[in-house]
């Protein structure tokens, strides 16, 4: 152990022994730095973390006495053994696959507490690196001095800059394996500086280190007298925190819950994202725009005279205004924007590729809503920084897209306020996080387009027809009998005096959707357009029947969500693949089996059966006429 680290440990031990309360008070008020270690595979992340943990001595305090005895008899041999055991343990975790996810480690020095996110270096786990970086104040990007700047170095650096981490350390590791070469160190720094300039990284601190030997980790290395900068741990102890930088920004607090223990108290609780607040300050609640003033700032320990970014508080207002979970309380004279369409950068994390037009859940701040993503404007090649044309985003891809939400939300650009500009996308079926996103700005058209209220509404249209508007959505494999049954159902309803319209999959592709193919992305857009047309027809009071394969649950749910409760009737025409293929009325299965028809549902493109259809008809047991009669009975009932 170095002398400085040992002295710090002894000072701490003396304080614990003499005044435990003073020690706990001091420890409680230490600042906390979150940082991430990233880079390519085998660049020494685990060894570096092991060295930081070992030299901080927080995990070995119970071994101090034995270490002291060992050092008297065998020099530093005992210390080396313990450090080797620690590094071996971290390596064993990696070999077992544990660090393909983010591993968080805690350690502390006399000045500050630390949480380090140890992220995997493999390209396929880039999404895990993004997870670790999302809450970091600082990033340590490691480079193997023998290898130089690699693809993952560039990828992780691009993401670190994209996620707004301004404090970056370029740790050129394994300097002992290049004989502590000053020339090699500056050669790497020059190459990295060129890339950093290209991605807009304004500054970084290069430090030559050896995690294994401990050079420039805690103290200045005697092996590299040419380096006059701070050792790594000193820089970590003095680095600024994100929360401190956010305290000078305008006040923002996303409401996490409404606190009302009794009729006389109504408070709005959350963590202050930026700025400061005190009683008497004017506030505005977004998106409603209602204004009031802060009456009191309440915490578990009592009321405060003021509060700043990073604190969790409950605010009460002088006026009874509407405010609920998901709303954002802002400074009255400096509000953020409210919009429902944005340009954003996406880091795609899903195993399945992004499908433009598919509805996803978007979580931003304390709000969750439905959102759709356009076809990417471009995808970024992190090696060359080229903007590539792309129709979708696959795993670990980074691209710029437009996003539409189902309602207007308060937001700020990510580079100004990560809390109100950072979001995730969630798959509606699996609930898996599929992307992380950073808002750039609101689209101008979202401010220029407004909903026009109409005097003759959908209820009036339906009442004039003496019926309730509905969408009867037939889904099933090609050849299952959807169109045949839907046609019979419409004839029966028409004979009963009902006002109907049938949208058939093939017919729609002759006009409205003639520009779409049969890729997954085109299928999503096909159903989105049909869903919008069906919704407009129900606004006219019609009973709309649709006959589409519509293979994906997510898009069928999207159309269901467009409608009022009870207006969407899903009919699953349940026909086994072998039966549908045996019928093969249009000869499509034969072409698909021969390889002449790509992306054919049931052959080389999936079909996701409904999990809770309102009606199921089995065309093996029922004729088309019998199935139609059963559906009409259910609709009229």
């Amino acid at each position: 152990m170095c002398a400085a680290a040992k002295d710090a440990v002894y000072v701490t031990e003396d304080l614990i022994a003499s005044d435990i309360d003073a020690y706990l008070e001091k420890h409680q008020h230490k600042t906390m730095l979150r940082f991430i270690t990233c880079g390519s595979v085998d660049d020494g992340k685990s060894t570096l973390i092991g060295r930081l943990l070992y030299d901080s001595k927080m995990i070995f305090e119970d071994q101090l006495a034995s270490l002291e005895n060992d050092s008297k008899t065998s020099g530093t041999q005992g210390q080396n053994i313990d450090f080797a055991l620690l590094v071996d343990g971290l390596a064993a975790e990696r070999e077992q696959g544990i660090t393909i996810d983010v591993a968080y480690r805690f350690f502390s020095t006399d000045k500050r507490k630390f949480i380090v996110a140890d992220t995997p270096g493999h390209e396929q786990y880039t999404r895990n690196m993004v997870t670790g970086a999302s809450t970091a104040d600082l990033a340590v990007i490691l480079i193997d001095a023998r290898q130089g700047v690699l693809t993952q170095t560039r990828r992780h650096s691009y993401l670190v800059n994209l996620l707004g981490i301004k404090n970056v350390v370029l740790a050129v590791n394994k300097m002992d394996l290049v004989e502590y070469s000053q020339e090699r160190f500056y050669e790497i720094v020059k190459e990295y500086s060129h890339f950093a300039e290209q991605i807009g990284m304004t500054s970084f601190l290069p430090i030559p280190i050896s995690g294994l030997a401990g050079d420039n980790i805690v103290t200045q290395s005697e092996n590299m007298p040419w380096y006059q900068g701070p050792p790594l741990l000193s820089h970590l102890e003095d680095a600024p925190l994100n929360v401190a930088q956010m305290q000078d920004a305008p006040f923002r607090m996303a409401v996490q819950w409404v606190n009302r223990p009794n009729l006389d108290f109504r408070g709005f609780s959350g963590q202050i994202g930026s700025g400061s607040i005190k009683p008497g300050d004017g506030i505005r609640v977004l998106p409603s725009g209602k204004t009031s003033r802060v009456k009191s700032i309440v915490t578990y320990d009592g009321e405060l005279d003021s509060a700043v970014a990073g604190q969790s508080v409950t605010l009460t207002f002088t006026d009874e205004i509407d405010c609920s979970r998901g709303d954002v309380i802002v400074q009255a004279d400096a509000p953020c924007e409210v919009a429902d369409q944005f340009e954003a950068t996406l880091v795609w994390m899903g195993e399945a590729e992004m499908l433009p037009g598919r509805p996803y859940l978007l979580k931003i701040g304390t709000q969750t809503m439905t959102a759709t993503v356009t076809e990417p404007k471009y995808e970024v090649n992190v090696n060359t920084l080229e903007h590539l044309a792309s129709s979708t985003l696959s795993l670990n891809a980074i691209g710029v897209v437009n996003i539409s939400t189902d309602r207007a939300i308060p937001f700020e650009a990510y580079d100004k306020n990560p809390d109100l500009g950072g979001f995730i996308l969630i798959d509606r079926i699996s609930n898996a996080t599929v992307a992380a996103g950073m808002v750039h700005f609101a689209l101008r058209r979202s401010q220029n387009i407004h909903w026009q209220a109409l005097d003759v509404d959908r209820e009036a249209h339906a009442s004039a027809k003496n019926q309730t508007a509905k969408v009867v959505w037939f889904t099933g494999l090609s050849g299952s009998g959807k169109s045949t049954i839907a046609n019979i159902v419409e004839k029966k309803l028409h004979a009963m005096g009902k006002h109907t319209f049938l949208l058939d999959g093939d017919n729609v592709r002759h006009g409205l959707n003639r520009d779409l193919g049969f890729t997954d992305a085109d299928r999503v857009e096909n159903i989105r357009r049909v869903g919008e047309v069906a919704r407009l027809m129900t606004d006219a009071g019609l009973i709309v029947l649709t006959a589409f394969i519509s293979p994906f649950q997510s898009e069928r749910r999207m159309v269901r969500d467009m409608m009022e409760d009870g207006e969407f009737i899903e009919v699953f025409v349940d026909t086994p693949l072998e039966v549908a293929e045996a019928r093969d009325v249009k000869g499509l299965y034969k072409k698909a089996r021969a390889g002449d028809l790509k992306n054919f549902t049931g052959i080389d493109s999936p079909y996701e059966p409904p999990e809770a259809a309102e009606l199921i008809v089995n065309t093996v047991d029922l004729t088309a006429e019998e199935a139609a009669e059963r559906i009409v009975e259910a609709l009229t009932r």
Side-chain angles (χ1 to χ4, degrees), residues 158-159 162 345-347 378-380 382 393 396-400:
Y158 185 90
L159 290 169
L162 186 66
T345 294
L346 279 188
V347 181
Y378 58 84
E379 183 178 335
V380 178
V382 295
L393 295 176
N396 295 326
I398 303 167
V400 172

Side-chain angles (χ1 to χ4, degrees), residues 101-102 104 119 123-135 155 159 162-163 345-355 360 392-399 414 422-427 430-438:
D101 205 344
V102 183
Y104 293 94
T119 61
E123 180 179 350
Q124 63 265 42
Y125 302 120
T126 299
R127 54 187 172 183
N128 305 82
M129 177 268 171
V130 173
T131 300
S134 62
T135 57
R155 180 182 297 275
L159 290 169
L162 186 66
L163 290 165
T345 294
L346 279 188
V347 181
W348 195 254
M349 301 177 175
E351 297 288 348
E353 65 182 16
M354 183 196 82
L355 295 179
Y360 297 96
T392 185
L393 295 176
S394 55
L395 178 63
N396 295 326
I398 303 167
Y414 182 85
F423 63 89
I424 59 173
L425 293 182
I426 303 169
D427 184 89
S430 67
N431 286 323
T433 298
V434 295
M438 286 69 69

Side-chain angles (χ1 to χ4, degrees), residues 180-207:
Y180 300 105
S181 170
Q182 179 181 8
E183 182 181 355
R184 177 57 178 158
F185 172 71
Y186 284 114
E187 180 183 318
I188 292 173
V189 171
K190 182 179 180 181
E191 181 182 2
Y192 187 83
S193 296
H194 178 66
F195 178 76
E197 183 180 353
Q198 288 180 298
I199 63 176
M201 185 182 290
T202 56
S203 64
F204 64 92
L205 174 66
I207 303 178

Side-chain angles (χ1 to χ4, degrees), residues 129-433:
M129 177 268 171
V130 173
T131 300
S134 62
T135 57
D137 300 289
L138 179 147
V140 178
I141 299 174
L142 276 86
I143 291 181
D144 187 328
R146 301 167 300 174
Q147 303 295 328
V149 179
L150 301 176
T151 297
Q152 277 301 81
T153 312
R154 295 185 179 92
R155 180 182 297 275
H156 285 181
S157 299
Y158 185 90
L159 290 169
V160 161
N161 191 63
L162 186 66
L163 290 165
I165 300 176
K166 304 301 183 185
N167 203 331
V168 177
V169 174
L170 182 70
V172 182
N173 194 20
K174 305 185 181 181
M175 288 297 295
D176 52 318
L177 300 182
V178 294
E179 299 179 349
Y180 300 105
S181 170
Q182 179 181 8
E183 182 181 355
R184 177 57 178 158
F185 172 71
Y186 284 114
E187 180 183 318
I188 292 173
V189 171
K190 182 179 180 181
E191 181 182 2
Y192 187 83
S193 296
H194 178 66
F195 178 76
E197 183 180 353
Q198 288 180 298
I199 63 176
M201 185 182 290
T202 56
S203 64
F204 64 92
L205 174 66
I207 303 178
I209 67 169
S210 170
L212 185 63
D215 293 286
N216 285 334
I217 304 298
V218 174
T219 58
Q220 290 278 359
S221 170
E222 296 179 356
N223 295 309
M224 290 176 281
W226 45 266
Y227 173 72
Q228 297 299 311
L232 177 61
L233 190 57
S234 295
H235 180 70
L236 296 178
E237 288 181 323
D238 297 330
L241 304 179
N242 288 343
V243 67
Q245 298 172 3
M246 295 301 295
Q247 291 177 2
D248 295 330
F251 177 77
R252 308 282 186 258
M253 188 184 89
V255 178
Q256 294 177 332
W257 70 88
V258 178
N259 194 336
R260 192 155 199 172
N262 55 61
L263 294 177
D264 297 325
F265 184 90
R266 185 166 180 256
F268 308 97
S269 303
Q271 185 179 62
I272 301 175
S274 66
S276 60
I277 196 76
K278 63 182 185 299
D281 284 351
I283 58 90
R284 187 182 302 271
V285 176
L286 298 178
S288 70
K290 300 294 183 181
T291 60
S292 183
R293 291 190 176 275
V294 175
K295 180 180 179 181
S296 61
I297 305 171
V298 182
T299 69
Y300 180 80
D301 297 321
E303 294 190 11
L304 302 178
D305 294 331
S306 64
V308 297
Q311 288 183 274
S312 295
V313 298
T314 297
L315 303 181
T316 66
F317 302 154
T318 57
D319 305 287
E320 283 285 341
I321 61 173
D322 185 33
C323 183
S324 57
R325 175 178 167 81
D327 289 345
V328 179
I329 303 171
V330 301
Q331 189 173 317
D333 58 356
C336 57
E337 292 185 75
V338 176
D340 60 3
Q341 296 182 53
F342 319 89
E343 182 186 272
T345 294
L346 279 188
V347 181
W348 195 254
M349 301 177 175
E351 297 288 348
E353 65 182 16
M354 183 196 82
L355 295 179
R358 166 167 285 186
Y360 297 96
L361 293 178
L362 183 148
K363 189 176 189 306
I364 182 170
T366 55
Q367 298 187 80
T368 302
M369 67 218 67
T370 300
T372 55
V373 186
T374 65
E375 184 174 294
K377 293 182 174 182
Y378 58 84
E379 183 178 335
V380 178
N381 182 325
V382 295
N383 285 318
T384 64
L385 302 181
E386 290 179 282
H387 291 179
L388 308 176
S390 178
S391 60
T392 185
L393 295 176
S394 55
L395 178 63
N396 295 326
I398 303 167
V400 172
V401 301
N402 288 343
I403 291 182
S404 297
T405 55
D406 62 1
R407 60 181 181 273
I409 58 173
F411 79 97
E412 284 192 305
Y414 182 85
D415 59 359
K416 291 184 178 179
N417 190 328
D419 286 344
L420 293 181
F423 63 89
I424 59 173
L425 293 182
I426 303 169
D427 184 89
R428 291 160 57 95
I429 302 300
S430 67
N431 286 323
T433 298

Side-chain angles (χ1 to χ4, degrees), residues 472-475 480-496 498 500-505 507 543-548 571 573 586 617 619 623-629 631-632 635:
V472 185
W473 192 277
F474 292 81
T475 178
S480 61
K482 299 182 299 300
S483 295
T484 302
I485 296 171
N487 191 48
I488 297 173
V489 169
E490 185 180 33
K491 286 194 297 183
K492 290 179 178 292
L493 292 175
H494 183 71
M496 296 166 62
K498 301 298 182 182
T500 63
F501 194 87
L502 174 58
L503 291 168
D504 181 77
N507 293 351
I543 297 173
V544 185
L545 300 94
T546 71
F548 291 83
V571 180
V573 184
K586 302 174 184 177
V617 292
T619 57
T623 65
E625 182 71 30
E626 291 170 337
E629 186 63 34
I631 293 168
V632 171
L635 292 176

